[in-house]
Amino acid sequence: MAVRDYIRERFMPHIWCAGCGHGIVMNNLIRAIEVLGLKKNDIVMVSGIGCSARISGYLDFHTLHTLHGRALAFATGVKLGRPDLHIIVPMGDGDATAIGGNHFIHAARRNIDITAVIMNNHIYGMTGGQYSPLSVYGRMATTAPFGNIDQAFDIVGLAQSAGASFVARTTSYHATSMIKIFQKAITHKGFSVVEVLSQCPTYYGRKNRLGDAVEMMEFFKKNTTPLGSAAKEKNPDLIERGIFVQEDRPEYCAEYKKIIKKAMGEQ
Amino acid sequence: MNKKTLFLQGNEVCVEAALYAGLDFFAGYPITPSTEIVEHLASRLPQKGGCFIQMEDEIASMCAIIGASLTGMKAMTATSGPGFSLMQEAIGYAVMAEIPCVIVNVQRGGPSTGMPTSVSQGDVMQARWGTHGDHAIITLTASNHQDVFAMTVEAFNLAETYRTPVILLLDEVVGHMREKLLMPEPAEIPLIERLHTSVKEGTDYHPYLPREDGRLPMSDFGGVHRYNVTGLVHDMWGFPTNNPKIAHGLMRHIVDKIENRVSEITRVKEYFLDDAEGILLSYGSSARSALHVVKNRRKSGERLGLLELQTLWPFPAELVRERCAHAKYVLVVELNMGQILQEVKKAVDDPSKVFLANKVDGTFITPTDIRNVIRLILGKGV
Ligand code: SF4
């Protein structure tokens, strides 16, 4: 199938600004799904609120556009209702780690078979450029006019310590590896987290004089390095990308099936 | 037929009734005085192959039941006081996206943490207006275990009929009290299942295009129709829009589908109303004391009656006006500062004849408390 076969053309044009990283992520998600050969009826996309969350509406799957931060809680209900379906949750940084932080760590802890794609552009885009829990220290935002004094979460570390059994990081620049990571995350049995460093040229870029979308993507290219590379040893400031965790651990729905067996046996 | 007689707590009755109604999915978080519902379902639901999950909080619980309902499951959560406050955002989502689900709130003293183990009926208005924005909602209540059973089943039936969240407002006394339940036989109480679309695969399905009767046939997630569900104002495909005409139509639809069917949704119990000079109007546990007073005073020839509401929202204003038309006085008995009192005053022809017997100190209102107010109304002094 072509990319357009996955898109609801009736709902185009999309709302994203020119140069936004979310379109790249959506495109690569589609490609990953296409390569995997998944049926559209077998995919549920659940999202919260934010620019990134709009991905769900544009795609021709079962789509559930929910409340700010709550996508994973809704997704948990969908997954338990239909454990055979693939559940993909595109999220923004505020959505996943501020208002939705609690749901995020608990979904990870349960290791429920859901794929969370966190588009980290370090800012709240939809509301116009406020700082998020992933904004870099010292950066500017409309609510940090003198510079951000919050420390940012490390998504990979957070997901890992909360119990996610698949954790990866990539960037909007690295399309080929992003597609491969998405494929692995979607087929992984358990809670999978993919952090995608993405650009919001409109707010984060402009507020912090980071240049246009191309320059922001160049930044991802220059300042990231594959996991375990020698470059990281020389320059510890480089951000690593790749798969950090990929483990076989008890998955929640599978565990729940055992509970049903026990409960029925005990009757 | 020899029916099974059980001796149960109200919260357990609610569990049995939910299972009878076909509950498939429960998500919840422990909170007094509703915890027994969570605990009992943790063992009862997996026994019938259903799904129970204890979520990280009440917000997540409410969201999870909406997600499960979209896959075709009958879904419910249960909570009290602060937990009900936390659920309000997602209750609004269920209203807007028209997702059938049942929310049980075993009321306790409030506001805030209030009195966790004490009785109250202080959430009547929160059930009506707790979530933001104009909307309609269905709220049921019950005063005894047989009715807790019936109203729990009714809550599921109404949720599935009208594609809406239904709130079941119990209170601490009803939830924790133990009394007899005659277990209804299977199929004795009719169960209503949601409408599924007959639109075939490959044909355009409009998830949000109401039929002429206002109902919207659903299609389960994972089925042949892929569509969008959102809490934003949406068109007939479920896609967000700012079109004023569509927005207006949607608002009218979500309100009218309930407010235009008050008589179909209304459940009341009437005791000695035909010749009543004084009418007690009550609901939930306080209706027990009210009924006691009425039966007792009838013995001494006092023409008292009781109108017990089981549907609180939409408020049955027409019925209340009509039943109270010939009464010399109407005494609303409730465990709050007069939340239903105001509705009764709005409904009747002469609001000056409507009085309140209430308690807000965490204790139960007794027949003597009610008697004393009646004496005051009749100018007899206490
Ligand atoms: S505001 Fe930022 S995140 Fe939102 S669409 Fe525009 S560029 Fe993308």
Side-chain angles (χ1 to χ4, degrees):
Chain A
M1 274 194 282
V3 167
R4 58 178 302 178
D5 291 328
Y6 292 90
I7 289 177
R8 290 171 170 154
E9 278 180 56
R10 178 187 285 145
F11 304 138
M12 291 290 135
H14 60 69
I15 63 159
W16 297 317
C17 314
C20 178
H22 298 337
I24 299 174
V25 175
M26 180 167 91
N27 192 36
N28 291 336
L29 250 180
I30 292 172
R31 288 181 191 281
I33 288 165
E34 190 194 7
V35 178
L36 290 172
L38 303 179
K39 286 204 212 95
K40 292 200 273 186
N41 280 346
D42 292 343
I43 298 175
V44 184
M45 203 159 266
V46 186
S47 67
I49 298 295
C51 299
S52 58
R54 291 300 179 101
I55 284 185
S56 62
Y58 301 142
L59 295 181
D60 186 21
F61 305 125
H62 304 283
T63 57
L64 180 56
H65 177 240
T66 68
L67 299 164
H68 193 30
R70 317 288 174 219
L72 287 169
F74 282 86
T76 300
V78 176
K79 182 69 187 178
L80 282 164
R82 282 293 301 269
D84 56 317
L85 302 178
H86 295 278
I87 318 284
I88 303 171
V89 181
M91 293 192 277
D93 35 316
D95 212 21
T97 63
I99 189 164
N102 200 31
H103 309 305
F104 177 62
I105 56 174
H106 287 279
R109 176 179 63 80
R110 289 186 192 105
N111 195 34
I112 187 163
D113 187 15
I114 292 172
T115 300
V117 176
I118 303 178
M119 281 152 265
N120 178 6
N121 56 16
H122 314 288
I123 199 105
Y124 287 99
M126 186 158 268
T127 44
Q130 300 76 31
Y131 68 91
S132 88
L134 301 183
S135 295
V136 177
Y137 178 87
R139 291 291 197 196
M140 297 298 184
T142 59
T143 47
F146 308 107
N148 173 35
I149 57 167
D150 277 26
Q151 301 293 336
F153 270 132
D154 166 13
I155 293 277
V156 167
L158 184 65
Q160 194 170 345
S161 50
S165 53
F166 182 101
V167 182
R169 181 189 287 129
T170 181
T171 88
S172 56
Y173 179 85
H174 299 91
T176 321
S177 59
M178 193 195 303
I179 296 170
K180 291 217 173 82
I181 286 176
F182 282 157
Q183 283 170 245
K184 287 185 181 150
I186 293 168
T187 45
H188 177 77
K189 277 277 160 231
F191 193 67
S192 50
V193 179
V194 182
E195 178 187 16
V196 184
L197 297 177
S198 175
Q199 71 278 10
C200 168
T202 304
Y203 294 110
Y204 198 66
R206 215 165 53 193
K207 276 262 157 205
N208 292 290
R209 300 178 201 283
L210 300 174
D212 61 12
V214 176
E215 285 169 275
M216 291 180 84
M217 287 168 72
E218 283 288 326
F219 178 90
F220 294 145
K221 182 187 169 198
K222 284 193 194 125
N223 290 281
T224 63
T225 182
L227 185 58
S229 72
K232 174 80 180 171
E233 273 168 40
K234 278 186 217 142
N235 179 5
D237 286 343
L238 289 177
I239 302 165
E240 289 177 299
R241 56 191 152 74
I243 296 171
F244 294 76
V245 181
Q246 187 172 15
E247 284 172 20
D248 212 1
R249 282 198 231 132
E251 190 276 327
Y252 193 83
C253 297
E255 290 298 300
Y256 191 77
K257 264 195 191 145
K258 295 184 200 164
I259 290 291
I260 290 183
K261 271 195 184 152
K262 269 193 204 171
M264 287 184 153
E266 270 171 23
Q267 235 174 348
Chain B
M1 203 176 344
N2 246 346
K3 275 199 194 170
K4 200 159 97 184
T5 308
L6 301 170
F7 190 69
L8 299 172
Q9 244 190 7
N11 285 342
E12 295 171 79
V13 174
C14 179
V15 166
E16 293 308 318
L19 294 168
Y20 182 98
L23 178 71
D24 301 299
F25 184 94
F26 180 93
Y29 189 83
I31 184 166
T32 306
S34 64
T35 306
E36 295 83 4
I37 296 178
V38 184
E39 286 177 337
H40 284 279
L41 280 169
S43 57
R44 298 282 283 116
L45 203 45
Q47 282 171 358
K48 60 157 268 194
C51 186
F52 169 92
I53 183 169
Q54 183 176 311
M55 294 299 286
E56 53 271 24
D57 57 26
E58 289 88 347
I59 298 173
S61 305
M62 187 62 216
C63 297
I65 68 166
I66 294 171
S69 181
L70 276 164
T71 66
M73 296 192 137
K74 285 193 177 176
M76 168 177 130
T77 185
T79 190
S80 298
F84 192 50
S85 293
L86 287 176
M87 288 180 181
Q88 294 303 330
E89 183 194 27
I91 291 174
Y93 184 92
V95 167
M96 189 59 142
E98 305 190 65
I99 314 292
C101 56
V102 173
I103 302 105
V104 184
N105 173 9
V106 186
Q107 298 167 94
R108 67 190 221 180
S112 189
T113 321
M115 290 192 283
T117 54
S118 301
V119 70
S120 160
Q121 294 169 338
D123 303 346
V124 170
M125 276 297 164
Q126 190 189 18
R128 177 65 191 89
W129 290 116
T131 196
H132 58 277
D134 279 312
H135 64 281
I137 196 93
I138 298 176
T139 300
L140 306 177
T141 182
S143 63
N144 62 67
H145 285 9
Q146 216 58 50
D147 289 352
V148 168
F149 196 100
M151 287 304 116
T152 304
V153 175
E154 199 69 77
F156 282 94
N157 283 349
L158 292 172
E160 297 295 343
T161 303
Y162 297 105
R163 272 193 73 166
T164 183
V166 173
I167 294 163
L168 180 62
L169 270 189
L170 303 180
D171 58 53
E172 190 275 337
V173 164
V174 167
H176 280 165
M177 156 185 97
R178 287 185 182 275
E179 69 177 7
K180 201 171 63 174
L181 170 77
L182 286 179
M183 185 69 191
E185 298 290 334
E188 183 182 330
I189 308 178
L191 301 181
I192 296 174
E193 306 303 329
R194 74 182 57 170
L195 275 182
H196 277 97
T197 181
S198 56
V199 172
K200 295 273 172 307
E201 180 170 14
T203 311
D204 207 2
Y205 161 63
H206 302 108
Y208 290 100
L209 182 65
R211 301 196 312 193
E212 243 170 54
D213 61 1
R215 294 183 69 181
L216 295 96
M218 295 183 80
S219 174
D220 298 339
F221 269 24
V224 296
H225 298 294
R226 298 179 299 275
Y227 59 96
N228 190 52
V229 178
T230 179
L232 291 167
V233 166
H234 47 270
D235 60 20
M236 62 184 173
W237 290 281
F239 201 75
T241 175
N242 284 331
N243 180 318
K245 222 177 126 202
I246 295 175
H248 180 84
L250 178 63
M251 287 303 293
R252 283 261 49 115
H253 163 70
I254 60 174
V255 170
D256 290 350
K257 72 176 183 180
I258 291 169
E259 296 291 342
N260 286 352
R261 291 180 176 77
V262 176
S263 58
E264 288 160 46
I265 298 167
T266 296
R267 310 282 182 272
V268 296
K269 292 176 95 173
E270 305 181 24
Y271 300 91
F272 312 107
L273 286 186
D274 290 346
D275 64 342
E277 288 178 347
I279 293 181
L280 305 190
L281 188 148
S282 192
Y283 54 91
S285 66
S286 50
R288 299 173 73 89
S289 292
L291 182 59
H292 193 273
V293 171
V294 168
K295 283 185 174 163
N296 237 327
R297 299 316 298 167
R298 276 276 161 183
K299 283 184 202 147
S300 18
E302 206 172 314
R303 281 154 67 182
L304 269 185
L306 169 67
L307 177 56
E308 179 186 342
L309 302 184
Q310 297 181 298
T311 301
L312 294 180
W313 307 115
F315 189 74
E318 236 344 272
L319 180 138
V320 168
R321 189 191 67 80
E322 199 241 309
R323 298 295 191 278
C324 297
H326 304 294
K328 292 200 176 118
Y329 68 91
V330 178
L331 180 59
V332 178
V333 184
E334 56 183 341
L335 299 172
N336 56 48
M337 305 279 243
Q339 298 188 19
I340 283 295
L341 173 81
Q342 298 306 329
E343 294 304 309
V344 176
K345 284 194 171 203
K346 272 191 265 170
V348 298
D349 299 324
D350 178 9
S352 69
K353 69 178 186 186
V354 182
F355 302 89
L356 174 67
N358 71 337
K359 262 196 165 176
V360 289
D361 59 2
T363 64
F364 189 54
I365 194 161
T366 64
T368 312
D369 295 328
I370 298 169
R371 271 301 300 157
N372 288 342
V373 180
I374 294 176
R375 288 180 67 86
L376 280 176
I377 295 169
L378 299 176
K380 290 183 182 165
V382 179

